Amino acid sequence: MNARVETSQPASDGVSSATPPAEGRVLCHVVNGVAVLTLDRPHALNALSHAMIRALAEHVERCRNDDGIVALVLRGSGEKGFCAGGDVRALYRAATAGRVDGEDGWRQFFIDEYRLDFALHAFPKPIVALADGIAMGGGMGLAQAASLRVATERSKIAMPETRIGFVPDVGATRFLSVMPADLSLYVGLTGAVLSGADAVRCALADVCVPSDWLQGFEERLASLPASQVRERLREVFVPPAAAGTSAPPAAIDALLPAIGRHFDAGLRADEMAASLASALGAEPAAPLKAWLQTALDALQGYSPTMLHVTREAILRGRAITLADAYRMELDIASRAIEEGDFREGVRAHLVDKDRAPCWQPAALAQVRPERVAHFLTSPWTNDAHPLSDLGALPLGRASQLPS
């Protein structure tokens, strides 16, 4: 049995993280050959700063090349969440200051984040992601690369980017395709918050376990014979069936017929909104009425341009590789920040907090098809694309755990 080994790097070099605390840090220690990487920025729900992305990428690369590391665990610090996404306020400041490229540029942030996510998808060893609490945006980009995606009864899982005039990114245009098209459009367009059980139902998590069970995972991991860690990794995070820890029912099951009707892939975003409004006019029963109103509020209140662009991107993502999805998302991100609604959305919701964004244009029906096509057209030629060197990957996750 290997005892727990505390280190700041996968190798036992004793060097502590140099990431400034205000920007968060990534902690690493090794338990029985498994590198446990902790996103440590609890005051910001572990939102990823650029410094954290670079630090995490360095840890991942060291773990890839360290034969003594047999697997990774990704988790968040504190009680509230795994990772609330990227540091959107910092991106807003960079965009308003005109910092595009370079170490503190907004575009470099996305390039580095997408490279990190792709590296995790291509990682040759098992990865476990503990999506306990909030796991949104950039946190989902990390979690969806894992071989074992663990949710809990406390999980709040979402891709809420359209609310701030952005597109579901970090690979979402590809990883949402694990769901039927109508469900992926509902999740991607409205930013609906999923429970742990919902996430399992939507194939965005593999298991939903009690959060209390995860508190003892390091002790269980340390107790395994070193030669059996990789093959028995799943039992560390998934309770025995005999423990009576079955997942709660998925509330989204009852909504699937309505989602299929109002978020059909053949409908444009404005047609989806009209469908929801028509159903509300028929005065449905209270539970359905509340859902219809929430969905309609999203389609009428979020960036009209990015709702149309997101619909098209999610549908395109079903037929392209993960690498191509990251390239498409960087194209859209560049358009959204340079000439779209991103800065206005962040200003309204996160900076001034007046909750009154002035979208351009203001309504779904006013968005011209050529504007949508423009946002989906790359600013770069193929060879000049900043992510042109991302290679091919199988559509499934790279390194599966033994069942």
Side-chain angles (χ1 to χ4, degrees):
M1 180 191 303
N2 286 6
R4 171 173 168 168
V5 179
E6 295 274 1
T7 68
S8 62
Q9 307 287 358
S12 303
D13 57 13
V15 180
S16 62
S17 172
T19 305
E23 293 185 347
R25 57 184 179 176
V26 178
L27 304 176
C28 178
H29 64 273
V30 178
V31 182
N32 211 355
V34 176
V36 180
L37 303 181
T38 303
L39 307 177
D40 189 32
R41 200 186 184 195
H43 66 280
L45 298 175
N46 301 315
L48 294 168
S49 66
H50 203 164
M52 290 172 69
I53 288 170
R54 286 191 289 257
L56 187 53
E58 291 174 3
H59 282 301
V60 169
E61 185 60 22
R62 290 192 185 101
C63 289
R64 176 193 300 276
N65 297 318
D66 188 338
D67 292 339
I69 300 299
V70 299
L72 295 184
V73 174
L74 302 176
R75 69 176 180 183
S77 180
E79 296 296 320
K80 294 185 178 180
F82 169 58
C83 175
D87 190 341
V88 175
R89 291 182 181 86
L91 289 168
Y92 172 83
R93 291 192 295 269
T96 54
R99 298 194 304 271
V100 180
D101 300 307
E103 185 172 334
D104 61 349
W106 60 260
R107 181 177 288 148
Q108 193 62 49
F109 176 98
F110 289 109
I111 292 170
D112 291 344
E113 183 179 29
Y114 298 173
R115 286 187 177 281
L116 166 63
D117 292 338
F118 190 83
L120 288 169
H121 278 277
F123 196 72
K125 306 169 187 180
I127 300 174
V128 179
L130 305 184
D132 183 25
I134 292 172
M136 300 183 181
M140 284 288 282
L142 300 176
Q144 292 307 304
S147 318
L148 180 63
R149 302 161 300 169
V150 182
T152 74
E153 80 286 353
R154 305 192 308 181
S155 293
K156 296 180 179 179
I157 290 173
M159 296 300 298
E161 288 79 4
T162 53
R163 178 173 175 265
I164 57 168
F166 203 60
V167 65
D169 65 330
V170 294
T173 57
R174 177 62 212 169
F175 67 65
L176 291 179
S177 69
V178 298
M179 295 179 268
D182 56 341
L183 189 53
S184 67
L185 288 169
Y186 167 65
V187 170
L189 292 173
T190 69
V193 178
L194 305 174
S195 68
D198 289 337
V200 174
R201 177 65 178 82
C202 293
L204 295 177
D206 298 299
V207 292
C208 181
V209 307
S211 56
D212 290 347
W213 172 258
L214 297 182
Q215 294 179 9
F217 86 85
E218 291 194 18
E219 288 74 16
R220 292 191 295 274
L221 187 58
S223 70
L224 294 176
S227 61
Q228 298 179 20
V229 168
R230 179 163 176 159
E231 66 184 62
R232 295 179 61 185
L233 197 56
R234 185 181 179 91
E235 69 185 64
V236 171
F237 300 96
V238 181
T245 54
S246 59
I252 202 167
D253 278 340
L255 299 173
L256 293 179
I259 290 170
R261 184 178 312 115
H262 302 296
F263 288 87
D264 184 275
L267 299 176
R268 300 189 309 268
D270 55 310
E271 293 173 328
M272 294 175 185
S275 177
L276 291 163
S278 176
L280 271 170
E283 299 187 358
L288 179 58
K289 183 177 181 180
W291 176 84
L292 288 166
Q293 188 64 63
T294 299
L296 181 60
D297 288 346
L299 294 192
Q300 291 183 334
Y302 298 172
S303 165
T305 296
M306 295 314 296
L307 286 168
H308 279 288
V309 171
T310 294
R311 173 193 171 275
E312 181 64 25
I314 287 174
L315 293 177
R316 290 189 184 190
R318 302 180 73 83
I320 62 178
T321 67
L322 182 63
D324 283 337
Y326 287 123
R327 285 187 277 268
M328 177 177 67
E329 291 167 3
L330 185 61
D331 297 342
I332 298 171
S334 297
R335 301 288 193 195
I337 293 177
E338 290 182 327
E339 52 191 288
D341 285 330
F342 172 80
R343 279 180 279 184
E344 175 60 11
V346 177
R347 179 208 64 76
H349 289 291
L350 299 178
V351 179
D352 296 339
K353 299 183 180 179
D354 57 35
R355 305 292 191 270
C358 296
W359 305 125
Q360 298 295 329
L364 286 168
Q366 297 172 343
V367 180
R368 301 192 310 271
E370 51 267 32
R371 179 169 173 81
V372 177
H374 174 67
F375 274 72
L376 288 155
T377 302
S378 180
W380 300 280
T381 62
N382 289 343
D383 291 344
H385 198 288
L387 300 176
S388 63
D389 60 333
L390 291 190
L393 244 191
L395 296 183
R397 293 188 296 283
S399 184
Q400 302 296 327
L401 286 176
S403 57

